[in-house]
Amino acid sequence: MIKILLTPPFLSAFLVLLIALPSKTTAQSDRYESRKYKDGIVSKEFWYGNNGKLDSLKSYYKNGKLKESFYFNDNGRPNGACTQHDLQGELMVTWTFEHGKLRNRVDHFQRTNIKNQERMERTYAKLDSLNKATDYNPKKYRLIYWRAQMRATLGNDYLALRDFNTFRRFMTSERGQRVPAKTKANVYDRLAVLYGQEELENYALHYRHKALKETPDDNRLKYNMAYYLYKIKSYHLAIRYIDEVKMKWPKHNFSNWTLGAIYSDLGEYEKSLDFLNQALEREESIYKHNSGRAERDLRTIKGLVQHKLGDTKEGIETLEEALEINPNNSFANRNMGEIYFDRGNDKKACRYFTKASTLGYTQIHDREDLAYFIEKTCNQEAPEPLPSYASLPYIFPNPAINFVEIANWAPQKFQYVIYDYQYKLLEQGKTEDGIVKVSMLSRGVYLLKIAAQGESHTLRLIIE
């Protein structure tokens, strides 16, 4: 990682409007509220004063480390020193508020790597220019929208979320009727990213679907939907959207990257390598349009795939390149560990697996495989074999219109329940032939829970 020391710029002031969406993982009391990731680690905490106003909040990375801290006055406006830390716990940014007005911002450093350094420096310069041109207090919604974009790029998630929600409320008001559909779609897409980072998956999918409703022919948004579905391991649904993208853009590098990752997880390594090589042909374009912070980058995936196809030496060299770009890449450490595990070198494998664990691999990527490998290599135990992603049930057709069936699911007779994205119960019943009718549902994102013979699964369903 590269640390770039930055000259402190000054940002504009605006009100804090807290958007706290409900979720199944919310625990509440009179003065405290928390939101959690799927594995139970706290993602956000909120404290309230005796008057019911927000007193302070903290957000956390998926590895459990503190990310952001914000404090508020008696009127619920930000006040005092507020901070953001990086994934390793080092102080990155300090904002100083005075009763809702942002008076000062100090960037202690910005973590970048050799792939994203130019883009991040450019974003800092543009944000500094915007702040100075507006006396650090943009009034026009158009400028608030652009500030939100830049804050999101820099990883200032809480402030970016507030800006995007401010613009969202404007564009859905009478005054915002002239906002172009493309801009609306981008706002929904950005909100989906921010909620997705908190693992509010149903809200993230809801906003991605709203983005596509605004501009249904936008292949960029189709890809974004596909990528998020891949992230939450809805692989077959992700492939469905990527296929649409590649019909128009056969060499789309991001689609090839994602397909390479999907087919690696599904154990189809030859397909994976083909897509990864296609993506690497246009690697420069990927980093031009990407933050460069993704741990599961092309080399991290390709190194393991090369090994699985018999080119272990090349696989190790490729993963060493990935670790040179980002030594704290937990996924690259995990993949290197698997190579040495396969080769029977438990001592070396244990070292890589342990480092991946220390770097928060399990929390960051929502994967349970590391515990298995550590038990095998470090503790010399014999845990239960890991389930294959390729064997998991999935819905087809999906997106759907009239009915769906379940692949990789033997029972033809099973009970089912359908919820909307806010977990509101919509339909329930039992099928005798494995077919679930969905024609009564309007366009949107849903959850289909199936159960039979003591086994149950909750699957994501999209209605078009």
Side-chain angles (χ1 to χ4, degrees), residues 309-325:
L309 291 174
D311 296 326
T312 297
K313 182 180 178 182
E314 290 185 20
I316 291 174
E317 291 175 354
T318 302
L319 279 167
E320 286 174 344
E321 289 180 28
L323 288 169
E324 183 178 352
I325 293 171

Side-chain angles (χ1 to χ4, degrees), residues 53-322:
K53 298 285 188 179
L54 185 64
D55 178 75
S56 61
L57 73 85
K58 292 184 179 181
S59 66
Y60 299 86
Y61 291 102
K62 292 175 69 176
N63 65 0
K65 291 186 180 292
L66 177 66
K67 182 176 186 179
E68 299 167 314
S69 298
F70 285 86
Y71 304 92
F72 306 86
N73 63 13
D74 290 341
N75 293 321
R77 297 180 176 182
N79 199 44
C82 303
T83 60
Q84 179 176 338
H85 294 73
D86 75 350
L87 193 62
Q88 281 72 49
E90 294 189 54
L91 181 63
M92 288 178 61
V93 188
T94 299
W95 296 275
T96 302
F97 289 91
E98 183 180 351
H99 301 296
K101 301 292 184 180
L102 181 58
R103 299 303 188 189
N104 188 22
R105 168 182 173 140
V106 177
D107 288 282
H108 303 284
F109 70 89
Q110 175 65 34
R111 281 200 183 276
T112 71
N113 58 49
I114 59 177
K115 297 294 185 179
N116 72 2
Q117 180 176 344
E118 181 180 348
R119 182 175 184 237
M120 299 297 279
E121 289 179 335
R122 187 168 62 247
T123 302
Y124 268 101
K126 288 181 179 179
L127 181 58
D128 186 47
S129 177
L130 171 64
N131 292 331
K132 291 177 179 178
T134 59
D135 196 22
Y136 315 112
N137 188 18
K139 299 288 195 260
K140 295 180 180 179
Y141 283 103
R142 174 177 57 84
L143 298 181
I144 293 175
Y145 166 73
W146 284 114
R147 181 175 65 181
Q149 301 267 39
M150 289 182 279
R151 282 176 162 171
T153 298
L154 296 175
N156 305 148
D157 295 340
Y158 178 67
L159 296 179
L161 180 63
R162 289 169 51 236
D163 273 356
F164 278 123
N165 272 311
T166 296
F167 192 82
R168 176 184 60 81
R169 289 188 290 272
F170 163 71
M171 73 186 192
T172 55
S173 69
E174 185 176 348
R175 293 171 56 201
Q177 294 302 308
R178 294 186 178 181
V179 175
K182 186 174 182 179
T183 300
K184 292 180 180 179
N186 189 61
V187 170
Y188 290 137
D189 185 57
R190 285 288 197 158
L191 285 170
V193 171
L194 292 166
Y195 289 128
Q197 289 173 181
E198 293 186 52
E199 292 191 351
L200 295 173
E201 294 177 354
N202 298 328
Y203 286 95
L205 286 174
H206 168 71
Y207 278 112
R208 291 209 179 279
H209 195 259
K210 284 179 72 69
L212 279 171
K213 285 172 69 175
E214 291 290 340
T215 55
D217 296 326
D218 190 329
N219 279 288
R220 182 184 66 87
L221 295 180
K222 287 180 182 178
Y223 169 75
N224 289 349
M225 171 68 95
Y227 181 75
Y228 187 67
L229 288 165
Y230 145 69
K231 292 282 286 184
I232 61 175
K233 303 176 185 63
S234 293
Y235 293 135
H236 295 88
L237 187 52
I239 292 171
R240 164 70 169 75
Y241 280 98
I242 290 180
D243 284 345
E244 289 190 24
V245 175
K246 285 178 69 68
M247 285 179 64
K248 184 175 180 180
W249 299 335
K251 295 184 178 181
H252 186 234
N253 46 4
F254 284 93
S255 292
N256 289 325
W257 175 12
T258 305
L259 286 171
I262 289 173
Y263 284 115
S264 173
D265 281 350
L266 294 177
E268 298 184 43
Y269 297 117
E270 290 186 358
K271 276 188 178 181
S272 175
L273 185 60
D274 180 51
F275 286 118
L276 292 171
N277 286 335
Q278 290 183 57
L280 280 165
E281 290 176 4
R282 304 179 65 198
E283 182 185 15
E284 183 177 344
S285 177
I286 287 179
Y287 287 104
K288 180 180 179 180
H289 300 287
N290 182 265
S291 68
R293 294 194 296 264
E295 286 201 338
R296 204 178 187 198
D297 61 1
L298 291 168
R299 288 170 179 79
T300 296
I301 307 166
K302 184 176 179 179
L304 182 64
V305 170
Q306 288 173 312
H307 159 69
K308 294 295 185 181
L309 291 174
D311 296 326
T312 297
K313 182 180 178 182
E314 290 185 20
I316 291 174
E317 291 175 354
T318 302
L319 279 167
E320 286 174 344
E321 289 180 28

